[in-house]
Structure formats: structure tokens, C-alpha cells
Amino acid sequence: MYEAASRPCENHKVKKIINYFTYKKNMIKLLQWLLGLGLFMAAWAILLSGRFLVKIPEEQMLHVWLVPVYTLGTFGLACLSIIMYRVYNFNNCEAAAEELKMQIKEGKEDLKKRGFRFDEDTLQNADL
Amino acid sequence: MEDSKSDKFSILLPTYNEKENLPIIVWLISKYMDECGYDFEIIIIDDGSPDGTLEVAQQLEKIYGKDKIVLRPREKKLGLGTAYVHGINHASGNFVIIMDADLSHHPKFIPEFIRKQQEKDFDIVSGTRYLGSGGVYGWDLKRKVISRGANLLTQILLRPGVSDLTGSFRLYKKDVLRKLVDSCISKGYVFQMEMIVRARQHGYSIGEVPISFVDRVYGESKLGGNEIVHFASGLLYLFATT
């Protein structure tokens, strides 16, 4: 598929560009997005031209012009609701924090028994 | 399945001013690893902490023994990536576990990581705050919104196939970690993100284990404008290079 350019010099240039946009033969994410955007623009242009495939009534054309706005709006709303849902369902690990506090105490006592010296500064913090 | 008895786990603890947390984290690691009967060592890489973290580490070395506590201090604060390389070079295990020494990562999850790894012989097991029973403690609404928003944006742009990219509680096969560290150039927690994104790119298999993240009990936790700019530029860098 990379043989599109016929002249060797251009072929080299194309390869350079492809190299820039790929990593280990996979398209980089930026290129995937540009490709997606390009396809979207092409489909939109077809609709706008009204010459191919579908004929859109004149009074509906405003909506066709606004397709990108609608798309972005829907996408934005979807993202917002996903974030809201996930923030709401983000677990608060109260039990884990409690357990850790207990274990800090337990650990300090055990370490002291084994001869570990905590300095005074740390001892004050132990009651946090 | 491989014989898990011959596996050894090297736990890397990069530290900087962690003298309060270090004894506790070591005590907890030792407790859980001993309970499960796993062979392990803790490699403490202290970057010249002025608070005497190294002195604390030396005390721990005496209590637990030189085979369990390996001290590999460095003169001054150098990058996280180089701390990992430094640690790997001294690791005698075939698996390396990386975690924060500030108690936000609880060692009770390490045996779960190991069981997960053995399930499908994963190259990497990553802790996740965003799945199942995973979660956080000590975050306000704003912090949660930023975290979830940044995570969703990353998921949309990079589609990494991993739910928690900025977390740093992970288990790696040692050679996998070495290769990854070599191919990553970012700093800070963008480094964690780059590691996991490049891991996918190289085709390594990644398992996930839900973890509870208890934000710093001692000390300050930070999320400022700088962090957000750092994150955004890191995201764009990965977007344009992976």
C-alpha cells in the first residue's frame, strides 16, 4: 500500500512521512485520529454537496451544516455523564484507611520490640 | 504453571524523606510476604534524604537482615527512571515490584499481584484505582473530578487497554521492566503512563488488580496547576509518538 508514489524521490518522501506517523508498523494515535477526522469530513462534504447518494431538502440543510456541532455536543455530554457517574461511584476506601492506621500502630509496637528506635518526632505523630 | 516456589520478588522502594513511613512499609511487606511464603527482598534506593531516611533504613537492615533489606542509596535526587535502573541492577529476583514508600500503596496487594501474574503468566500486573473494589481515600470532589476526567481523556486519546495509567504500584518481569525503562524518557508520573503505554505497544500482556489508594497519611500530597500542565504535555507527547 506504500507503493502509491511512482518516482523514487517521492517514494522516499512518502516513506519518511509514513515512518513519522507509525511506530513498529502501527499507526500512531495522532494519525488514527487524523484519518478518522478525514473520513468524517469527507462524509460531511458529500452530504453538504447534496450531489451524491442522498438529496437533502433545502429546509434541512441548516442541520447538515450543524452536524459537527451536534456531534461535538453529543460527545461532550456523553463524556460529562461518564465522568459524573464515575466520580459518584469512585470508592471511598474508609475501611482501608482505618486498617492502615491500626497497622501503623501495630507495626510500630512490633518494631520497637525488635529494637527499632523511633525518634521523638515520630512518636508525636503516632497519635495522628 | 511454573513452580512459584523458585520465584523471587524484588521490591523497589525509591525514597526521599520517608523516615516515618519506611519502617511501617517494610514491616507490612515482610508481614504479608512471610504469611504467603514468597521469597523476597526489599531494595531501598534513598536519594540522599536530609531527614535521615537512610539511618532508618540501616536500622531496618539490622533487624531484618542483609538478604531481605538491600540498601542502594544515591548521593542526590536523580530521576525516577534512573532509580529503577539502579534498583534493577541490584535486584536478584526474577520479578520486580515497584511501589511508593509513602503508604499510599498497601503491601497486602502484593500477594494478589503475584496470584494474578501466575494466572496467565502476565508480563506486567498493574494496580488500578478505577476498577471493581479499587478506590481512593482522602480525595475531595475536585480531586476526583480531575482524576476521572484526566483518565477518561487518556482512555479516549490513547486507548491503552489499561484502566489506571498514572498509578505506580506494579509488578514486572525483570527483563520486561529493563526493556521498558530503556524506552521511556518522561519524568514524574507521566513516566508511569509512558511505561504502560509502551508496554502495550511492545505487545506485553498486562493484568490488573483493584487497589485502594490511601493518600498520604504523613506528609503533603500535591496536585497543582504545574501537575496538570505536566500531565497534558505528557499526554500529547504519547499521542504523537505511540
Side-chain angles (χ1 to χ4, degrees):
Chain A
M1 64 177 285
Y2 299 158
E3 313 304 332
S6 50
R7 281 176 296 159
C9 140
E10 262 185 36
N11 202 353
H12 183 67
K13 265 188 200 163
V14 170
K15 262 191 186 155
K16 242 183 151 176
I17 294 170
I18 288 171
N19 271 341
Y20 183 82
F21 281 106
T22 54
Y23 183 90
K24 297 199 170 173
K25 291 188 182 147
N26 291 316
M27 273 190 270
I28 61 166
K29 290 291 179 292
L30 176 64
L31 184 59
Q32 293 176 7
W33 276 80
L34 288 176
L35 212 69
L37 189 71
L39 285 174
F40 177 83
M41 299 278 277
W44 187 42
I46 288 173
L47 280 182
L48 276 179
S49 74
R51 266 189 237 172
F52 309 99
L53 306 170
V54 277
K55 196 110 188 98
I56 290 153
E58 205 56 43
E59 62 272 20
Q60 303 287 332
M61 273 318 272
L62 177 68
H63 294 299
V64 177
W65 277 106
L66 288 176
V67 160
V69 179
Y70 293 153
T71 312
L72 269 180
T74 316
F75 185 67
L77 273 179
C79 284
L80 252 155
S81 27
I82 290 172
I83 290 174
M84 269 162 39
Y85 176 81
R86 287 181 175 174
V87 167
Y88 182 74
N89 287 292
F90 213 159
N91 290 329
N92 270 320
C93 307
E94 307 280 346
E98 267 320 301
E99 181 195 34
L100 181 60
K101 268 184 202 159
M102 297 290 291
Q103 287 181 327
I104 288 174
K105 265 193 176 164
E106 204 186 318
K108 280 190 171 166
E109 277 162 23
D110 187 47
L111 281 167
K112 262 186 249 171
K113 271 185 217 152
R114 296 197 198 185
F116 187 90
R117 285 174 294 103
F118 289 94
D119 53 40
E120 282 185 1
D121 193 33
T122 325
L123 284 176
Q124 279 163 12
N125 280 339
D127 301 322
L128 270 179
Chain B
M1 195 168 289
E2 278 175 66
D3 180 16
S4 61
K5 287 289 168 246
S6 60
D7 287 333
K8 183 169 179 181
F9 302 89
S10 300
I11 299 157
L12 298 194
L13 288 181
T15 59
Y16 188 77
N17 288 347
E18 299 286 2
K19 80 168 170 185
E20 281 102 342
N21 295 318
L22 189 60
I24 309 296
I25 193 93
V26 167
W27 183 79
L28 283 169
I29 291 171
S30 155
K31 170 181 150 84
Y32 284 97
M33 294 304 272
D34 284 342
E35 269 173 21
C36 298
Y38 294 125
D39 190 13
F40 73 101
E41 64 181 356
I42 303 172
I43 301 175
I44 300 171
I45 304 146
D46 185 60
D47 278 3
S49 305
D51 77 337
T53 303
L54 188 58
E55 193 265 330
V56 164
Q58 282 158 348
Q59 280 199 59
L60 292 165
E61 187 189 33
K62 267 186 208 132
I63 293 171
Y64 287 96
K66 283 197 165 155
D67 56 326
K68 287 278 175 275
I69 310 283
V70 181
L71 302 185
R72 292 290 176 262
R74 304 190 295 177
E75 286 290 300
K76 57 177 196 300
K77 214 172 177 185
L78 302 158
L80 203 57
T82 61
Y84 291 165
V85 174
H86 187 70
I88 298 166
N89 287 339
H90 297 286
S92 63
N94 52 335
F95 288 98
V96 175
I97 291 153
I98 289 174
M99 63 192 297
D100 292 349
D102 63 1
L103 297 176
S104 56
H105 296 150
H106 199 295
K108 71 181 167 188
F109 295 110
I110 297 176
E112 288 185 39
F113 281 31
I114 294 170
R115 278 195 291 275
K116 188 73 181 179
Q117 194 284 324
Q118 288 165 348
E119 223 171 75
K120 284 188 181 151
D121 193 27
F122 286 112
D123 295 314
I124 300 167
V125 175
S126 175
T128 174
R129 297 161 288 182
Y130 302 116
L131 278 189
S133 56
V136 292
Y137 173 81
W139 281 13
D140 58 8
L141 188 67
K142 182 186 154 205
R143 183 86 196 256
K144 282 183 175 177
V145 170
I146 292 174
S147 171
R148 280 300 196 181
N151 185 261
L152 182 65
L153 183 66
T154 314
Q155 295 293 340
I156 292 168
L157 290 182
L158 303 180
R159 279 176 286 121
V162 180
S163 62
D164 194 340
L165 292 113
T166 47
S168 55
F169 193 1
R170 292 175 189 151
L171 176 149
Y172 299 84
K173 285 181 179 168
K174 187 160 77 175
D175 51 327
V176 167
L177 179 62
R178 196 189 288 277
K179 271 184 209 145
L180 281 177
V181 171
D182 283 344
S183 61
C184 293
I185 58 162
S186 303
K187 300 258 179 291
Y189 57 91
V190 172
F191 179 74
Q192 310 297 349
M193 194 154 84
E194 182 170 12
M195 292 261 277
I196 211 82
V197 171
R198 297 232 182 262
R200 256 296 178 250
Q201 206 177 36
H202 292 310
Y204 293 128
S205 59
I206 305 169
E208 291 193 285
V209 170
I211 58 161
S212 53
F213 179 92
V214 178
D215 214 348
R216 301 192 65 114
V217 178
Y218 301 126
E220 284 277 298
S221 168
K222 68 262 173 230
L223 180 72
N226 261 346
E227 258 69 24
I228 293 170
V229 171
H230 175 59
F231 172 79
S233 55
L235 184 59
L236 283 180
Y237 158 72
L238 290 173
F239 184 61
T241 58
T242 67

